[in-house]
Every structure is written in structure tokens, then in C-alpha cells.
Amino acid sequence: MRDAEFYPEGHLVAVLTCEPLDRTLDYKAPEGGVAMGAFVEVPLGPRKVLGCVWGEGLGGFDLSKARSISTVLDLAPMREEMRQFLEKVAAYTLTPMPAMLRLATRAPGLMNPPGMRKVYRRGEGRPPRETDARSKVLETLDEYGGLSFTLKELADTAGVTASVVKGMLPSGAVIEEDTPRDLPFRRLDANAPGNELTEAQEAAATALREDVAAERYATTLLKGVTGSGKTEVYLEAVAQCLKQGRQALVLLPEIALTSAFLTRFEERFGARPAEWHSGVTMTERRRVWKMVGEGGAQVVIGARSALYLPFQNLGLIVVDEEHDGSYKQEDGVHYNARDMAVLRASLCSATVVLASATPSLETWANVEAGKYKRLDLESRYGPAVMPDMHALDMRGEKLPSTRFISDTLVGAVKKRMERGEQSLLFLNRRGFAPVTICRACGHQIACDHCDARMVEHRFLKRLMCHQCGETKPMPEACPSCGVEGRLAPVGPGVERLAEEVAERFPEAKCAVLSSDLFASARALKEQIQRIAEGDTDIIVGTQLVAKGHNFPNLTLVGVIDADLGLQGSDLRAAERTFQLMRQVAGRAGRSEKKGVALLQTYQPEHPVIRAILSGDEEGFWRAEAAERKMAGVPPYGRMAGIILSGPDLAVVTDVANHLARIAGPLQRINAQLFGPAPAPIARVRGRHRIRFLVKAEKSAPIQAALAEWVGQVKLPNNVRLQIDIDPQSFW
Ligand SMILES: [Zn+2]
Ligand SMILES: [Zn+2]
């Protein structure tokens, strides 16, 4: 029973906590009663823990033993739609509810009283000794008509030092006060004029505004090539949402992108939105969480976990770059933020905008099936067009094994340098070399804890495991045969490519853009700014450069290894390669100058390479969809990955074999079970990994069957079982 809104004192209520228990706990409502969904502090053994009132108590025990809720926290109660959302995500992803509540309360200090801070405002009279500096402070305070400042704000605005302000306190002309730290965000101006829109943009914006104004659930794919102005269009939807008095959430895949985005947002709405991602301070996280719940934050720009913020009146969710792999969370709760955004919107009558130049096949299929609407922005914003794309057949280039840039590509780069234009050499591999081999015995240096080879990072002067992050110095002698001086790098990473660039273009200014080379988002932003201003001839970059950054003087993109993503058994390999190559190529020629993209490949007749070159996107999606339909895989079938892991291979193998023998619940829904088999990376951080893959028809109740299947075994200590519904990666 979930219908009561309020429980009087002494009433038995169920409380969901973040503790790893398989049920809610019963407590008595405290003095003054408690509301459904209220956040509370409850005693649990000797501790006090955070909880949320989840409905009528279950009872069934001696009620005189029931303990009372200790404190009802000064937080907006969780709304019914949020409780439903968490329960549905839990059911879909097979996640226990306590883990869901943890996701929904990921702000520090929710149990603490609000923090205080000192603010300054105008008092009575004037200071006895009125210096120029003191007059400036008074003028500033008078000008802002009674508003409070922090010390730094006031000193900066008045152009004086903080000690000047402090020195005015004894006179009473300036007053110091303590106020709660969690202040609302500045109001956004929904009526501020937006950028001028092209005809195509205006048409798309109008359609989205209508959806938002209707306050009904709807999802639209906003498709447009890089630079077609998707952001301007969805910001119009945000403006409409503000006019409706509702909140908006914009999800972005990369933190590095948000600073440019925030500036743009501020120009459009006159103030900054709330931010929610790993780069936000703890104090700010708590403020955002509370203000979202109280309506003091109108728009949140965030990473995928912003989806679990306690919005009071959510009217719009934008998922920018909806195809991006980073929307899939792959530790803790496994969920895809894009799909969960659609679920959340459907529960609160909100509009969803999925923006992409290269949509995921899932979204494309939902459009084809009539579930999502589609808006196309065909013409690019401004005069630029997609670049000319050509394959460079590497079979004819006769490169030595230590070189990776073909003579044809070298010639093309030189031509750009003569014209004062920029070139980008793209290689989606961090570090110097992916493999280090001993030329004496053939040994390849591997991680001690994982079944993975170590990647040389020459910049850091270390070998690094990209699975577990472990690093070690490059050894002098081979760890296997002991011979010195015969270890050699095999294959290229961006650092090695940069070395080749320095050799072949000694006069060129080269910049390397790879996520591991920047200590902070700010350092990366500064580098990007320098490149955009033209202070670079050749950019060497990983997929970091594929997204969002605008380099107006860039007219050539050279893809060093277009075949890289096509290897492997991943069902999305073709789709990902297609998306990435299109995005990277889209970096060239974003202004008046027409761009060229050259793809180095050993298989120019591969259907994916041909589709990339021809630019026949619809053809590519149709062919890819037909193939997945034939194979009965997502989005035309259901899939789940199950990984068993533990330090002892024999124990893990026993559990896996046992599970394989008791797969009746899967057979009953006609699901296919593949495995057990060693996972492609069979050992990570010292844990052996064995995996199953379950495939079922789209309509099959796969979650219930999986829960029943794995519920039959009690896992030995140290063995973990992780279920991943709709897996994105297969390692
Ligand atoms: Zn050796
Ligand atoms: Zn490792």
C-alpha cells in the first residue's frame, strides 16, 4: 500500500536505506509525523543511517520493539514519480533498491544541518574616517540595493582589499551576517533573445517548443551533422521549458566540453546553470542536490548521474551526443543514461531530445518503429560542408614497420602547411606503443594483475595497464630472458605518432591531444584554445578531438588506422567505427575553407569503410539493422552479459559450470545461453573472469528469468556475479 501521503506519530512506516539489505526496515513515525518520501535518519544497530520513507510498515513482529525515526531531515521529500523511477530502473537493471537509493542521494552531508557562511551588506550610517576605498564599498552596496555579498565578491566589485571591508565593521556601516550556504541559483532569463536561427533550425526549434509546451511525454531524435547548430536548437527547447516554469536537464558526455558549453549557455540565458559532474566541489554538489529538489535550480548541466537528482518539476531532458559510449555506466549500477532518460521523462510528462550527428542504431530503430520523432538539420550552420573523404590504400604504400604516416598523407600535410592551414592526424590509441616485445625471446610485457599487455607511456616514462591502471618503469632487461637492450615498441600510440611527426615535419608546430596528457580540464581547455587560435600546424589526437571542438583553420584530417575499430567481436564495432570516423572527418573544414579527410586502411573495400566514404548514412543504418535483425541481437533482440569473477579460477569455474547446468529458467523463455567461457580479458586486478552471454527475443521477460536463474545459487565468498543488461562492451 503506497497511497498515504502522511503518517501520524507512532504509525509504523517502511524505510528504505542505502545499507546492503534485501528489504525495507520498519520504524515508528516520530513526533509530528512523517511524510511519504521524506528523507530521514534512522537508528541501525549502534549507527544512524540515511533513509527514505517508502510506505506503510510491513509489521509482522513485536511492535513494542519498533524503534522510532530519529530525525526528519530538512530536505524536500522524494516525489512519487522519483520512487517509481528508481523502482523501474532497479527492475530493469536487476539492481537492489539500496544501491538505487545510493545513486539518488549522491551528495555529501545530506544529514548535516545546512552549512553557514558569512555575507556582507549595508548597515546604518557612515564610517568615522571615510577614505576613498571605504566610499567605494558604500557606493557598491548602495548600488546593489541591499543585496548580500561574500567578502570576496564585495571586495572585487568595489575594487578594494578584503581588509578594507573588515575595517568598516566596527562602525556598523557594513554588517557581517551568517547565512545558509545552500543558496538558490541565479534565475535564468527565458525571454532573452536567442541567436539568429537558420530556416532549418527555426523549423526544428518550433517543433520542439510545441512538444515542451504540451507538457506530454515525447522523444525526438535531433539529427544534424557536426556544426549544423543542434545546440542552438535545443537551447530553444530549454527556453520554452523555463517559460512553462519547469526544470530542464542537459546531459553531456564529456566534462572537458562543459566549460565551452557553460559560456554559451550563459550568453543565451544571462546566468549559469547548475552543474553536476565529477569536477564539481562537494559543497556545490550538496547545493545542487538541495536546490534541484526545492526548485532553486532551473537547469542542470551534467553527466549521466544527474538523471538521479530529485527534480521537482522536470519538463525536458536533452541527451547530447546520445550515441556516446560514456552514457553507459559499467560499474556499480549498470545502466544506460540515454535509455533511462526516456524512462524518467515518460514518468513525469517531459520531452526528451536525443541530439547526435551519428545516432546509435537503437535510436535509429526507435525512429523507424515510430516510437521517436525525428528532426533533421541537413545544412551546416554557416558556409562549411562535410569534407571530401578518400581512402588511402596502405597495401600500396610500402611503409617500414616503424613508420605510420604514408607518403601520400605526408604530402597532403605539407600542402596544408604551405597554405598556413592546420592538419589533424587521428589515432585512437593513447600512449607511445600498445605492445613492448623482447627482440631476443619474443616475450611481450604484460600486467602482473591482468591478462593484458602493458602500454608504454613515454611521456610518463612508464608502462601502464589500461585495464587496472597499474604502472611500472620500463625495465632495462627482458623480465623473461634477462637479455638487456632488446625491448622494442610495436605499433603506434599517439605519442609515437607525435615523434614521427617531429621527424618528418621538423619545422612544424605540433600539439598532442590525449586525455592522459592533461592534469586538469583547464589545462586541456587552454591547449584547445591555443590550437583554435592557430598556434599549431599539426594536431595529433585521440578520440578526445572527435567531439565538439571547433578549429576553424583545420582543413585536413588524416586517420592513421581506419581499421582499428573494425577488429574484435563487439556487435557494435561497425557502428562505432562509422560514428567515430564521421565525427573525426567532420572536424575538417568547419569554416569557409573546404576540408579533406584521408583514411589510411588495409581494407578499402570493407563495407563499413565504403559506407563511411560514400556518406550514405541511411544505407549504412539499413544494412546494419538488417544484419542485427538476422542475428537477433539488440536492438532487435535482448542481451545480457553475466560475469563471474574471483581470485581462485577453480572456484569460479565450479560456480559457472553449476550455473550452466541449472539454466531451466532461461530455457523456459527460449533464451540462448552462451558460455561459460573465459572473458576476452580473462583476468583483471588479479581476479579471474568467466562470462556468459544470454540472448533472447525482444519480448521475452529476460530480467525475471535471469533473477530466477542466478537466485538458485549461493555464491562462495570472494566470487562476484555481475549482470549487465544491454551490454555495450564485451570484455
Ligand atoms: Zn626476452
Ligand atoms: Zn592490469
Side-chain angles (χ1 to χ4, degrees), residues 438 441 478 481:
C438 170
C441 74
C478 170
C481 71

Side-chain angles (χ1 to χ4, degrees), residues 50 66 182 324 407 409 515 517 636 728:
L50 178 72
D182 299 327
D324 196 279
D407 290 339
L409 186 51
S515 56
L517 297 178
Y636 304 99
Q728 291 273 336

Side-chain angles (χ1 to χ4, degrees), residues 644-702:
L644 284 162
S645 68
D648 185 338
L649 180 59
V651 174
V652 182
T653 307
D654 278 352
V655 177
N657 289 337
H658 179 54
L659 270 172
R661 282 193 299 270
I662 54 169
L666 299 177
Q667 285 151 12
R668 282 195 283 283
I669 63 161
N670 287 323
Q672 289 173 276
L673 178 65
F674 300 92
I681 298 171
R683 195 167 62 108
V684 172
R685 291 188 178 90
R687 298 177 70 86
H688 297 274
R689 308 168 78 242
I690 293 183
R691 71 174 295 143
F692 291 97
L693 202 58
V694 176
K695 228 175 86 179
E697 280 182 23
K698 198 170 167 78
S699 58
I702 193 169

Side-chain angles (χ1 to χ4, degrees), residues 1 7 11-15 24-28 53-61 63:
M1 214 173 82
Y7 301 100
H11 196 97
L12 200 63
V13 296
V15 173
T24 53
L25 299 171
D26 283 357
Y27 291 92
K28 283 191 286 195
V53 175
W54 214 254
E56 199 76 26
L58 302 176
F61 63 98
L63 291 190

Side-chain angles (χ1 to χ4, degrees), residues 327-600:
Y327 283 123
K328 180 69 195 274
Q329 169 148 314
E330 294 189 322
D331 45 41
V333 182
H334 290 226
Y335 68 92
N336 189 317
R338 176 195 62 220
D339 301 342
M340 295 308 120
V342 171
L343 170 62
R344 173 130 207 207
S346 71
L347 293 171
C348 63
S349 305
T351 299
V352 180
V353 178
L354 304 175
S356 177
T358 51
S360 61
L361 189 65
E362 276 81 0
T363 295
W364 186 87
N366 277 323
V367 170
E368 290 293 294
K371 288 186 194 158
Y372 297 173
K373 298 188 246 187
R374 171 171 171 171
L375 294 167
D376 280 87
L377 292 175
E378 289 299 352
S379 61
R380 288 183 75 139
Y381 194 37
V385 289
M386 269 302 268
D388 290 332
M389 314 238 282
H390 304 284
L392 293 181
D393 188 344
M394 296 301 282
R395 292 169 303 187
E397 290 278 348
K398 306 280 177 283
L399 272 184
S401 68
T402 51
R403 292 223 159 161
F404 307 96
I405 311 173
S406 66
D407 290 339
T408 313
L409 186 51
V410 168
V413 172
K414 283 197 169 137
K415 211 188 273 171
R416 297 302 176 300
M417 286 176 63
E418 282 159 19
R419 297 208 297 251
E421 294 168 7
Q422 291 174 323
S423 303
L424 162 66
L425 299 182
F426 175 80
L427 177 63
N428 199 16
R429 224 189 227 153
R430 292 173 291 146
F432 186 82
V435 179
T436 301
I437 192 169
C438 170
R439 293 234 183 271
C441 74
H443 176 75
Q444 299 182 356
I445 298 187
C447 176
D448 296 335
H449 315 287
C450 308
D451 182 17
R453 290 177 297 204
M454 293 196 96
V455 178
E456 182 184 356
H457 283 247
R458 201 160 277 195
F459 186 76
L460 300 170
K461 299 193 175 60
R462 291 184 84 79
L463 291 160
M464 184 188 289
C465 171
H466 284 185
Q467 293 309 321
C468 71
E470 177 81 5
T471 70
K472 58 184 173 191
M474 176 67 85
E476 293 286 323
C478 170
S480 177
C481 71
V483 172
E484 283 186 30
R486 298 296 303 278
L487 292 173
V490 178
V494 276
E495 293 177 24
R496 190 171 191 186
L497 192 61
E499 206 173 89
E500 187 176 340
V501 166
E503 276 166 33
R504 302 193 76 169
F505 310 97
E507 67 289 6
K509 270 193 259 175
C510 174
V512 184
L513 283 180
S514 177
S515 56
D516 55 324
L517 297 178
F518 294 91
S520 66
R522 173 192 290 268
L524 172 63
K525 190 188 159 200
E526 284 167 3
Q527 175 69 283
I528 287 168
Q529 185 64 30
R530 280 195 296 276
I531 295 171
E533 283 161 7
D535 183 39
T536 301
D537 302 310
I538 302 171
I539 306 154
V540 172
T542 61
Q543 65 173 355
L544 192 64
V545 297
K547 297 172 186 171
H549 314 299
N550 190 4
F551 302 130
N553 201 29
L554 180 70
T555 57
L556 172 68
V557 169
V559 175
I560 298 302
D561 186 354
D563 309 332
L564 192 56
L566 294 175
Q567 300 146 5
S569 55
D570 186 339
L571 75 94
R572 293 184 180 81
E575 179 186 350
R576 288 205 182 114
T577 302
F578 182 81
Q579 288 163 340
L580 189 57
M581 292 300 118
R582 300 278 302 174
Q583 284 159 21
V584 172
R587 298 295 106 205
R590 294 200 61 188
S591 58
E592 292 76 13
K593 297 166 193 155
K594 176 139 175 100
V596 174
L598 301 176
L599 279 61
Q600 297 193 154

